[in-house]
Coordinates of all heavy atoms in Angstrom, one line a residue:
M1 N -135.8 -13.6 -39.8 CA -136.9 -13.2 -39.1 C -137.1 -11.7 -39.0 O -136.1 -11.0 -38.9 CB -136.8 -13.8 -37.6 CG -137.0 -15.3 -37.5 SD -137.0 -15.6 -35.7 CE -137.3 -17.3 -35.8
S2 N -138.3 -11.3 -39.0 CA -138.5 -9.9 -38.8 C -138.3 -9.5 -37.4 O -138.2 -10.4 -36.5 CB -140.0 -9.6 -39.2 OG -140.9 -10.2 -38.3
T3 N -138.2 -8.2 -37.2 CA -138.1 -7.7 -35.8 C -139.3 -8.1 -34.9 O -139.1 -8.5 -33.7 CB -138.0 -6.2 -35.8 OG1 -136.9 -5.7 -36.6 CG2 -137.8 -5.6 -34.4
E4 N -140.5 -8.1 -35.5 CA -141.6 -8.5 -34.7 C -141.5 -10.0 -34.3 O -141.9 -10.4 -33.2 CB -143.0 -8.3 -35.6 CG -144.2 -8.5 -34.7 CD -144.8 -9.8 -34.8 OE1 -144.5 -10.6 -35.8 OE2 -145.5 -10.2 -33.9
Q5 N -141.1 -10.9 -35.2 CA -141.0 -12.3 -35.0 C -139.9 -12.5 -33.9 O -140.0 -13.3 -33.0 CB -140.6 -13.0 -36.2 CG -141.7 -13.1 -37.2 CD -141.2 -13.8 -38.6 OE1 -140.2 -13.5 -39.0 NE2 -142.1 -14.7 -39.1
L6 N -138.8 -11.8 -34.0 CA -137.7 -11.9 -33.0 C -138.2 -11.6 -31.6 O -137.8 -12.2 -30.6 CB -136.5 -11.1 -33.3 CG -135.6 -11.6 -34.4 CD1 -134.5 -10.6 -34.7 CD2 -134.9 -12.9 -33.9
T7 N -139.1 -10.6 -31.4 CA -139.6 -10.3 -30.1 C -140.5 -11.4 -29.6 O -140.6 -11.5 -28.4 CB -140.4 -8.9 -30.2 OG1 -141.5 -9.1 -31.0 CG2 -139.5 -7.8 -30.5
R8 N -141.0 -12.2 -30.5 CA -142.0 -13.3 -30.0 C -141.2 -14.6 -29.9 O -141.8 -15.6 -29.3 CB -143.1 -13.4 -31.0 CG -143.9 -12.1 -31.1 CD -145.2 -12.3 -31.9 NE -146.0 -13.3 -31.5 CZ -147.0 -13.9 -32.2 NH1 -147.1 -13.5 -33.5 NH2 -147.7 -14.9 -31.8
V9 N -140.0 -14.7 -30.3 CA -139.2 -16.0 -30.2 C -139.2 -16.4 -28.7 O -138.9 -15.6 -27.8 CB -137.9 -15.9 -30.8 CG1 -137.0 -17.2 -30.4 CG2 -137.8 -15.8 -32.3
G10 N -139.5 -17.6 -28.4 CA -139.5 -18.1 -27.0 C -140.8 -17.9 -26.3 O -140.9 -18.3 -25.1
T11 N -141.8 -17.4 -26.9 CA -143.1 -17.3 -26.4 C -143.9 -18.6 -26.7 O -143.8 -19.1 -27.8 CB -143.9 -16.2 -27.1 OG1 -143.2 -14.9 -26.9 CG2 -145.3 -16.0 -26.5
S12 N -144.5 -19.2 -25.8 CA -145.2 -20.4 -26.0 C -146.2 -20.4 -27.1 O -146.9 -19.4 -27.3 CB -146.0 -20.8 -24.7 OG -145.1 -21.0 -23.6
F13 N -146.1 -21.4 -28.0 CA -146.9 -21.6 -29.1 C -146.7 -20.7 -30.3 O -147.4 -20.8 -31.3 CB -148.4 -21.6 -28.7 CG -148.7 -22.6 -27.6 CD1 -149.1 -22.1 -26.4 CD2 -148.5 -23.9 -27.8 CE1 -149.3 -23.0 -25.3 CE2 -148.8 -24.8 -26.7 CZ -149.2 -24.3 -25.5
F14 N -145.6 -19.9 -30.2 CA -145.2 -19.1 -31.4 C -144.3 -19.9 -32.3 O -143.4 -20.5 -31.8 CB -144.5 -17.8 -31.0 CG -144.0 -17.0 -32.2 CD1 -144.8 -16.4 -33.1 CD2 -142.6 -17.1 -32.5 CE1 -144.3 -15.7 -34.2 CE2 -142.1 -16.4 -33.6 CZ -143.0 -15.8 -34.4
T15 N -144.6 -20.0 -33.6 CA -143.8 -20.7 -34.5 C -143.8 -20.0 -35.9 O -144.7 -19.3 -36.2 CB -144.2 -22.2 -34.6 OG1 -143.3 -22.9 -35.5 CG2 -145.7 -22.3 -35.2
T16 N -142.7 -20.2 -36.6 CA -142.6 -19.8 -38.0 C -142.6 -20.9 -39.0 O -142.6 -20.8 -40.1 CB -141.3 -19.0 -38.2 OG1 -140.2 -19.8 -37.9 CG2 -141.3 -17.7 -37.3
R17 N -142.8 -22.2 -38.4 CA -142.8 -23.4 -39.2 C -144.2 -24.0 -39.4 O -144.9 -24.1 -38.4 CB -141.8 -24.4 -38.6 CG -140.4 -23.9 -38.5 CD -139.5 -25.0 -38.0 NE -138.2 -24.5 -37.9 CZ -137.1 -25.3 -38.1 NH1 -137.3 -26.6 -38.3 NH2 -135.9 -24.7 -38.0
A18 N -144.5 -24.4 -40.5 CA -145.7 -25.1 -40.7 C -145.7 -26.4 -39.9 O -144.7 -27.2 -40.0 CB -145.9 -25.4 -42.2
G19 N -146.7 -26.6 -39.2 CA -146.8 -27.8 -38.4 C -146.0 -27.7 -37.0 O -145.9 -28.7 -36.3
G20 N -145.3 -26.6 -36.8 CA -144.6 -26.4 -35.5 C -145.5 -26.3 -34.3 O -146.6 -25.8 -34.5
T21 N -145.0 -26.6 -33.2 CA -145.8 -26.5 -31.9 C -145.5 -25.3 -31.2 O -146.3 -24.8 -30.4 CB -145.4 -27.7 -31.0 OG1 -144.1 -27.5 -30.6 CG2 -145.8 -29.0 -31.6
G22 N -144.3 -24.6 -31.5 CA -144.0 -23.4 -30.7 C -143.5 -23.6 -29.3 O -143.6 -22.7 -28.4
L23 N -143.1 -24.9 -29.2 CA -142.5 -25.2 -27.8 C -141.1 -25.5 -27.7 O -140.5 -25.6 -26.7 CB -143.3 -26.4 -27.2 CG -144.8 -26.2 -27.0 CD1 -145.6 -27.4 -26.5 CD2 -145.0 -25.1 -25.9
G24 N -140.4 -25.7 -28.8 CA -139.0 -26.1 -28.9 C -138.1 -25.1 -28.3 O -137.3 -25.4 -27.4
V25 N -138.3 -23.8 -28.7 CA -137.4 -22.8 -28.1 C -137.6 -22.6 -26.6 O -136.7 -22.4 -25.8 CB -137.5 -21.4 -28.8 CG1 -136.8 -20.4 -28.2 CG2 -137.0 -21.6 -30.3
V26 N -139.0 -22.7 -26.2 CA -139.4 -22.5 -24.8 C -138.6 -23.6 -24.0 O -138.1 -23.2 -22.9 CB -140.8 -22.5 -24.7 CG1 -141.2 -22.6 -23.2 CG2 -141.6 -21.4 -25.4
L27 N -138.8 -24.8 -24.4 CA -138.2 -25.9 -23.6 C -136.6 -25.8 -23.6 O -136.0 -26.0 -22.5 CB -138.6 -27.2 -24.2 CG -140.1 -27.5 -24.0 CD1 -140.6 -28.8 -24.8 CD2 -140.5 -27.6 -22.6
A28 N -136.0 -25.6 -24.8 CA -134.6 -25.5 -24.8 C -134.1 -24.3 -24.0 O -133.1 -24.5 -23.2 CB -134.1 -25.2 -26.3
R29 N -134.8 -23.1 -24.1 CA -134.3 -22.0 -23.3 C -134.4 -22.2 -21.8 O -133.5 -21.9 -21.0 CB -135.1 -20.7 -23.6 CG -134.5 -19.5 -22.9 CD -135.4 -18.3 -23.1 NE -136.7 -18.6 -22.5 CZ -137.9 -18.1 -22.9 NH1 -137.9 -17.4 -24.0 NH2 -139.0 -18.4 -22.4
N30 N -135.5 -22.9 -21.4 CA -135.6 -23.3 -19.9 C -134.4 -24.1 -19.5 O -133.9 -23.9 -18.4 CB -136.9 -23.9 -19.7 CG -138.1 -22.9 -19.7 OD1 -137.9 -21.8 -19.6 ND2 -139.3 -23.5 -19.8
A31 N -134.1 -25.2 -20.2 CA -132.9 -26.0 -19.8 C -131.6 -25.3 -19.8 O -130.8 -25.4 -18.9 CB -132.9 -27.2 -20.8
I32 N -131.4 -24.4 -20.8 CA -130.2 -23.6 -20.8 C -130.1 -22.6 -19.6 O -129.1 -22.5 -19.0 CB -130.1 -22.8 -22.2 CG1 -129.9 -23.8 -23.3 CG2 -129.0 -21.8 -22.2 CD1 -130.3 -23.3 -24.7
V33 N -131.2 -22.0 -19.4 CA -131.2 -21.0 -18.3 C -131.0 -21.8 -16.9 O -130.3 -21.3 -16.0 CB -132.6 -20.2 -18.2 CG1 -132.8 -19.5 -16.9 CG2 -132.6 -19.3 -19.4
Q34 N -131.6 -23.0 -16.8 CA -131.4 -23.7 -15.5 C -129.9 -24.0 -15.3 O -129.5 -24.4 -14.2 CB -132.3 -25.0 -15.6 CG -133.7 -24.8 -15.3 CD -134.6 -26.0 -15.5 OE1 -134.0 -27.1 -15.7 NE2 -135.8 -25.8 -15.3
H35 N -129.2 -24.1 -16.3 CA -127.7 -24.3 -16.3 C -126.9 -23.1 -16.2 O -125.6 -23.1 -16.5 CB -127.3 -25.3 -17.4 CG -127.8 -26.7 -17.2 ND1 -129.0 -27.1 -17.6 CD2 -127.2 -27.7 -16.5 CE1 -129.2 -28.4 -17.3 NE2 -128.0 -28.8 -16.7
G36 N -127.5 -21.9 -16.1 CA -126.8 -20.7 -16.0 C -126.5 -20.0 -17.3 O -125.6 -19.1 -17.3
G37 N -127.1 -20.5 -18.3 CA -126.8 -19.9 -19.7 C -127.8 -19.0 -20.2 O -128.8 -18.6 -19.5
G38 N -127.7 -18.7 -21.5 CA -128.6 -17.9 -22.2 C -128.6 -18.1 -23.7 O -127.8 -18.9 -24.2
L39 N -129.5 -17.4 -24.4 CA -129.6 -17.5 -25.8 C -129.4 -16.1 -26.4 O -129.9 -15.1 -25.9 CB -130.9 -18.1 -26.3 CG -131.3 -19.5 -26.0 CD1 -132.7 -19.8 -26.3 CD2 -130.4 -20.4 -26.7
R40 N -128.8 -16.0 -27.6 CA -128.7 -14.8 -28.4 C -129.1 -15.1 -29.8 O -128.8 -16.2 -30.3 CB -127.2 -14.2 -28.3 CG -126.9 -13.5 -27.1 CD -125.5 -12.9 -27.2 NE -124.4 -13.9 -27.5 CZ -123.5 -13.7 -28.4 NH1 -123.4 -12.7 -29.2 NH2 -122.6 -14.6 -28.6
Y41 N -129.8 -14.1 -30.4 CA -130.3 -14.3 -31.8 C -129.7 -13.2 -32.6 O -129.6 -12.0 -32.2 CB -131.8 -14.2 -31.9 CG -132.5 -15.2 -31.0 CD1 -132.9 -14.8 -29.6 CD2 -132.8 -16.4 -31.5 CE1 -133.5 -15.7 -28.9 CE2 -133.4 -17.3 -30.6 CZ -133.8 -16.9 -29.3 OH -134.4 -17.9 -28.5
A42 N -129.3 -13.5 -33.8 CA -128.9 -12.5 -34.9 C -129.6 -13.0 -36.1 O -129.5 -14.2 -36.6 CB -127.4 -12.6 -35.1
S43 N -130.4 -12.0 -36.7 CA -131.2 -12.4 -37.9 C -131.2 -11.3 -39.0 O -131.2 -10.1 -38.6 CB -132.6 -12.7 -37.4 OG -133.4 -13.1 -38.4
K44 N -131.2 -11.8 -40.2 CA -131.4 -10.9 -41.3 C -132.6 -11.5 -42.1 O -132.4 -12.5 -42.7 CB -130.1 -10.8 -42.2 CG -128.9 -10.2 -41.5 CD -127.8 -10.1 -42.4 CE -126.6 -9.4 -41.6 NZ -125.4 -9.2 -42.5
P45 N -133.6 -10.7 -42.2 CA -134.8 -11.2 -43.0 C -134.4 -11.7 -44.4 O -133.7 -11.0 -45.1 CB -135.7 -10.1 -43.1 CG -135.4 -9.2 -41.8 CD -133.9 -9.4 -41.6
G46 N -134.8 -12.9 -44.7 CA -134.5 -13.4 -46.1 C -133.2 -14.1 -46.1 O -132.8 -14.8 -47.1
A47 N -132.3 -14.0 -45.2 CA -130.9 -14.4 -45.2 C -130.8 -15.6 -44.1 O -129.9 -16.4 -44.3 CB -129.8 -13.4 -44.9
G48 N -131.5 -15.6 -43.1 CA -131.4 -16.6 -42.0 C -131.2 -16.0 -40.6 O -131.0 -14.8 -40.4
T49 N -131.3 -16.9 -39.7 CA -131.1 -16.5 -38.2 C -130.1 -17.5 -37.6 O -130.1 -18.6 -37.8 CB -132.5 -16.7 -37.5 OG1 -133.5 -15.8 -38.2 CG2 -132.4 -16.4 -36.1
T50 N -129.2 -16.8 -36.8 CA -128.2 -17.6 -36.1 C -128.6 -17.5 -34.6 O -128.9 -16.4 -34.1 CB -126.8 -17.0 -36.2 OG1 -126.5 -17.1 -37.6 CG2 -125.7 -17.8 -35.5
V51 N -128.6 -18.7 -33.9 CA -128.9 -18.7 -32.5 C -127.6 -19.2 -31.8 O -127.1 -20.2 -32.2 CB -130.1 -19.6 -32.1 CG1 -130.3 -19.7 -30.7 CG2 -131.3 -19.3 -32.9
T52 N -127.2 -18.4 -30.8 CA -126.0 -18.7 -30.1 C -126.4 -19.2 -28.7 O -127.0 -18.4 -28.0 CB -125.1 -17.6 -30.0 OG1 -124.7 -17.1 -31.3 CG2 -123.8 -17.9 -29.2
V53 N -126.0 -20.3 -28.3 CA -126.2 -20.8 -26.9 C -125.0 -20.6 -26.1 O -123.9 -21.0 -26.4 CB -126.6 -22.3 -26.9 CG1 -126.7 -22.9 -25.4 CG2 -127.7 -22.7 -27.8
E54 N -125.1 -19.9 -25.0 CA -124.1 -19.5 -24.1 C -124.2 -20.3 -22.7 O -125.3 -20.2 -22.1 CB -124.0 -18.0 -23.8 CG -123.7 -17.2 -25.1 CD -123.8 -15.7 -24.8 OE1 -124.7 -15.3 -24.0 OE2 -123.0 -15.0 -25.4
L55 N -123.3 -21.1 -22.4 CA -123.3 -21.8 -21.1 C -122.1 -21.5 -20.4 O -120.9 -21.4 -21.0 CB -123.3 -23.3 -21.4 CG -124.7 -23.9 -22.0 CD1 -124.6 -25.3 -22.4 CD2 -125.8 -23.7 -21.0
P56 N -122.0 -21.5 -19.0 CA -120.9 -21.3 -18.2 C -120.0 -22.5 -18.3 O -120.5 -23.6 -18.4 CB -121.4 -21.0 -16.8 CG -122.7 -21.6 -16.8 CD -123.3 -21.6 -18.2
F57 N -118.7 -22.3 -18.2 CA -117.7 -23.3 -18.1 C -117.3 -23.6 -16.7 O -116.9 -22.6 -16.0 CB -116.5 -23.0 -19.0 CG -115.4 -24.0 -18.9 CD1 -115.4 -25.2 -19.6 CD2 -114.3 -23.7 -18.1 CE1 -114.4 -26.1 -19.4 CE2 -113.3 -24.7 -18.0 CZ -113.3 -25.8 -18.7
T58 N -117.3 -24.8 -16.3 CA -116.7 -25.2 -15.0 C -115.7 -26.3 -15.2 O -116.0 -27.4 -15.8 CB -117.8 -25.7 -14.1 OG1 -118.8 -24.6 -14.0 CG2 -117.3 -26.0 -12.7
S59 N -114.5 -26.2 -14.7 CA -113.5 -27.2 -14.7 C -113.9 -28.4 -13.9 O -114.6 -28.3 -12.9 CB -112.2 -26.6 -14.2 OG -111.2 -27.6 -14.1
K60 N -113.4 -29.6 -14.4 CA -113.7 -30.8 -13.6 C -113.2 -30.7 -12.2 O -113.7 -31.3 -11.3 CB -113.0 -32.0 -14.3 CG -113.7 -32.4 -15.5 CD -113.0 -33.6 -16.1 CE -113.6 -34.0 -17.4 NZ -113.0 -35.2 -18.0
H61 N -112.1 -29.9 -12.0 CA -111.5 -29.8 -10.6 C -112.1 -28.7 -9.8 O -111.8 -28.4 -8.7 CB -110.0 -29.5 -10.8 CG -109.3 -30.6 -11.6 ND1 -109.2 -31.9 -11.1 CD2 -108.8 -30.6 -12.8 CE1 -108.6 -32.7 -12.0 NE2 -108.4 -31.9 -13.1
E62 N -113.1 -27.9 -10.4 CA -113.7 -26.8 -9.7 C -115.1 -27.2 -9.5 O -115.9 -27.3 -10.4 CB -113.5 -25.6 -10.6 CG -114.2 -24.3 -10.1 CD -114.1 -23.2 -11.1 OE1 -113.1 -23.1 -11.8 OE2 -115.0 -22.3 -11.1
P63 N -115.6 -27.2 -8.2 CA -116.9 -27.5 -8.0 C -117.9 -26.4 -8.5 O -117.6 -25.3 -8.4 CB -117.0 -27.6 -6.4 CG -115.8 -27.0 -5.9 CD -114.8 -26.9 -7.0
A64 N -119.0 -26.9 -9.0 CA -120.0 -25.9 -9.5 C -120.6 -25.2 -8.3 O -120.8 -25.8 -7.3 CB -121.1 -26.6 -10.3
S65 N -120.9 -23.9 -8.6 CA -121.5 -23.2 -7.4 C -123.0 -23.3 -7.4 O -123.7 -23.5 -8.4 CB -121.3 -21.7 -7.6 OG -120.5 -21.2 -8.5

């Protein structure tokens, strides 16, 4: 993705795919954020984009805050 495209990722109705709705990242990010996490992107134009989902870890014996 280009730098311009990366700035628009997660914007409603923005897509780089033919026939895409532009809602997938928006919905996924909202669910991830609601669980205390986040998304990171690393991209090289023409080579691909990696998306990293980060979620907090809570032990079964440790109550969630």
Side-chain angles (χ1 to χ4, degrees):
M1 289 185 172
S2 69
T3 302
E4 190 271 332
Q5 288 174 318
L6 280 173
T7 63
R8 295 184 62 199
V9 168
T11 302
S12 296
F13 308 111
F14 171 74
T15 183
T16 59
R17 296 180 181 215
T21 62
L23 295 175
V25 173
V26 173
L27 295 173
R29 185 186 64 215
N30 285 343
I32 292 164
V33 168
Q34 286 176 359
H35 287 88
L39 293 171
R40 283 188 297 131
Y41 303 94
S43 187
K44 293 185 181 181
T49 301
T50 300
V51 180
T52 303
V53 176
E54 298 175 321
L55 293 170
F57 173 78
T58 303
S59 171
K60 289 182 180 181
H61 303 290
E62 178 183 326
S65 357

